[in-house]
């Protein structure tokens, strides 16, 4: 890992603060999005995936042939998807990333800018009024993100169950006889719209209608806004009463101010964190299937009859996450995914075919579980997970590095760089 | 990581289970019976710990394990070390957690692991909770 964990958390927090500040600054100080360097690609979607875009956008801005990623998360997950498939141009301001790592704001064209990709954590059919993927558009899956229930960092709470979430967002704090202590104050229960990824997932998980989830608590417009609201409760008498839900990407970048709760799904008798401990970042329980609430990042773009993305620049961008395009020199997708606190799909030992669908064993063709364990300092990684330079170094017989700098099988490039002993 | 010893956890489980439900068997299938306080953190490994058995029920919101055809699962249950298991019931017999290679959603959720966990005791914390969810207003 090139970034120490503490540095990454700090950077994420700085980026989030910068985004909040920049997004509200005078529009006159914002550059026009169309004047940004290099190739410009426009997208829209949820705020849950903003950290991933910040990571890859920063790297692409520094490439020798730079790419400027312009992204609007001012709507919601479903709003971004609808903007793509309707289609509807985005207007006002949008986010972009330069090489500094800061999240900046640019001014969209007064007539609006069409988007060529959308991102959300859920499949389209969870969006109100949508029955499935729109004709002429394709879905492409990226790294995995957990959905986290979170409280102020000063809260004493450690865990929550499916059933407790049903009570909290199903009845609300004002429902006499149905409140869950200490979460009994409407103002300190935070929720999201019925078109946000995390709101839809809490609905799907608990069985509470999305509109009901959205109606119970103080509604926040983005994942970062939920973090800000919960953070503000630290040091107040209401800190114990605060609770909300955000994407793991956003939660993990703000652990200094919020606490991720262990989640006990129906049928479990103990709550688990996405990670092996409350302080770890190893996503062991997401990867093994012991933590229920997770979903891959969903990319959407226009495709041809062969399900090939028709816009070449968008194809190159989304292909970074699906493995169909070669990263430009200096761009490390693994680094971007882990830097955003997501799990590369090659590190997942389970998978599911749909939103919160049944789990099954997963054996990636080019696994990176050991590399991920090293990157995230998993203290309990398998004893077979060691660094290597050739296949014969590994009891697993497979010295790999998904790269860069190596290819999928480091054993074929013996001796030149470090690899990791993967299971297959 | 939990500082509780294995024996301490087992004793706590046993006593607490009696207090909560009066039925020891329920501890393996119903989290209502879980008597542990809300703040402790445990490790659920295959040495024996307070976890439900593999046949712990799932609610209607949990997709059936057979909804998707798992392409990479073993037809024959194996222990986590890869050794075959002739009697699948033994996978959950010792500590309650699923000690064989998980194949279904319930088994993945309840597999033995070295991870910390913290129970949320529905019966103690949810008003009028009897194991089922009250209808929404």
């Amino acid at each position: 890992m090139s970034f120490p964990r503490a540095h990454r958390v700090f950077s994420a927090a700085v980026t989030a603060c910068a985004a909040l500040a920049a997004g509200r600054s005078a529009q006159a100080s914002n550059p026009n999005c169309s004047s940004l360097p290099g190739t410009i690609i426009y997208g829209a979607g949820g705020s849950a995936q903003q950290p991933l875009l910040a990571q890859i956008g920063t790297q692409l801005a520094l490439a020798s042939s730079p790419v400027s990623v312009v992204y609007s998360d001012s709507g919601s997950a479903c709003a971004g998807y609808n903007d793509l498939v309707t289609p509807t141009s985005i207007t006002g301001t949008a986010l972009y990333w330069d090489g500094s790592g800061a999240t900046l704001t640019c001014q969209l064209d007064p007539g609006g800018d069409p988007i060529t990709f959308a991102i959300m954590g859920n499949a389209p059919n969870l969006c109100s009024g949508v029955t499935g993927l729109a004709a002429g558009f394709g879905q492409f899956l990226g790294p995995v993100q957990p959905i986290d229930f979170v409280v102020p960092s000063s809260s004493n709470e450690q865990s929550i169950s499916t059933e407790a979430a049903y009570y909290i967002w199903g009845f609300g704090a004002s429902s006499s006889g149905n409140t869950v202590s200490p979460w009994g104050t409407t103002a300190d229960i935070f929720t999201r719209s019925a078109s946000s990824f995390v709101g839809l997932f809490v609905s799907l998980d608990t069985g509470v209608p999305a509109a009901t989830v959205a109606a119970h608590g103080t509604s926040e417009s983005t994942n970062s806004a939920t973090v800000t609201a919960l953070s503000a409760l630290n040091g107040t008498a209401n800190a114990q009463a605060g609770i909300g839900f955000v994407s793991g990407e956003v939660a993990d970048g703000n652990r200094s101010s919020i606490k991720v709760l262990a989640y006990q799904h129906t049928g479990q008798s103990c709550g688990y964190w996405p990670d092996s401990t409350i302080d770890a970042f190893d996503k062991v329980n997401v990867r093994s299937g012991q933590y229920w609430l997770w979903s891959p990042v969903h990319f959407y773009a226009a495709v041809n009859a062969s399900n090939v993305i028709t816009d070449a620049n968008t194809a190159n961008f989304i292909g970074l996450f699906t493995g169909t395009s070669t990263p430009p020199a200096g761009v490390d997708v693994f680094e971007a995914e882990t830097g955003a606190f997501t799990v590369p799909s090659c590190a997942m030992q389970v998978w599911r075919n749909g939103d919160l669908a049944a789990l099954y064993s997963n054996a990636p063709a080019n696994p990176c579980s050991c590399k991920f364990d090293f990157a995230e300092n998993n203290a309990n990684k398998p004893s077979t997970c060691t660094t290597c330079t050739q296949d014969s170094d590994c009891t697993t017989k497979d010295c790999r590095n998904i790269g860069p700098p190596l290819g999928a099988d480091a054993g074929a490039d013996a001796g030149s760089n470090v690899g990791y002993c993967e299971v297959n | 990581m939990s500082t509780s010893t294995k024996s301490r956890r087992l004793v706590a489980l046993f006593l607490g289970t009696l207090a909560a439900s009066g039925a020891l068997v329920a501890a393996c299938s119903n989290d209502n019976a879980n008597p542990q306080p809300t703040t402790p953190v445990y490790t659920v490994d295959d040495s024996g710990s307070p976890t439900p058995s593999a046949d712990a029920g799932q609610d209607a919101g949990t997709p059936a394990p057979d909804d998707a055809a798992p392409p990479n699962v073993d037809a024959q249950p194996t222990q986590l070390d890869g050794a075959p298991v002739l009697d699948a019931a033994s996978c959950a017999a010792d500590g309650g957690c699923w000690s064989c290679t998980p194949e279904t959603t319930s088994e993945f959720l309840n597999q033995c692991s070295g991870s910390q966990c913290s129970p949320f005791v529905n019966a103690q914390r949810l008003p009028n909770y009897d194991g089922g969810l009250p209808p929404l207003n």
Side-chain angles (χ1 to χ4, degrees), chain A residues 369-392:
Chain A
S369 190
C370 180
K371 180 175 182 176
F372 188 84
D373 281 336
F374 268 90
E376 301 299 345
N377 298 313
N378 179 7
N380 297 313
K381 63 180 179 294
S383 59
T384 56
C385 175
T386 61
T387 56
C388 54
T389 56
Q390 53 192 344
D391 286 350
S392 60

Side-chain angles (χ1 to χ4, degrees), chain A residues 157-159 161 163 166-167 171 177 179 181 264-272 276 285 288 290 292 350 356 358-360, chain B residues 31 34 44 50-52 57 59 62-64 70-71 105 108-111 113 115-120 122 125 127 134-136:
Chain A
E157 296 303 309
Q158 295 269 32
S159 59
S161 67
E163 292 77 15
Y166 174 93
Y167 273 72
F171 292 110
T179 57
S181 178
Q264 178 179 302
H265 188 59
T266 300
Q268 292 180 303
S269 64
C270 205
Y272 291 87
S276 59
N285 297 323
S288 71
Q290 198 143 37
W292 174 250
V350 293
L356 297 185
L359 302 170
Y360 59 84
Chain B
D31 58 5
N34 191 329
V44 183
T51 56
D59 69 357
T62 302
T105 293
F108 282 111
L109 289 172
N110 295 300
Q111 63 190 286
S113 73
S115 293
Q116 285 183 346
C117 71
S118 180
F120 187 96
N122 287 327
R125 300 192 59 181
L136 299 175

Side-chain angles (χ1 to χ4, degrees), chain A residues 4 26 44 73 79 88 97 109 127 191 206 226 279 344 352 354 358 361 370 382 395 407 409-410:
Chain A
D73 68 352
T88 303
W97 296 271
D109 188 272
C127 297
T191 191
T206 59
T226 300
D279 296 319
R352 57 181 16 145
S361 294
C370 180
T395 56
D409 191 343

Side-chain angles (χ1 to χ4, degrees), chain B residues 53-109:
Chain B
S53 61
D55 61 353
Q58 295 176 328
D59 69 357
T62 302
D66 295 333
D67 282 355
N72 297 312
V73 298
D74 298 325
Q76 177 69 34
T78 58
Q79 297 181 41
L80 292 178
D81 62 3
V85 172
L86 299 180
D87 179 7
S90 66
C91 294
D94 291 339
C97 60
W98 185 257
S99 60
C100 298
T101 301
E103 298 179 3
T104 68
T105 293
S106 179
E107 291 165 5
F108 282 111
L109 289 172

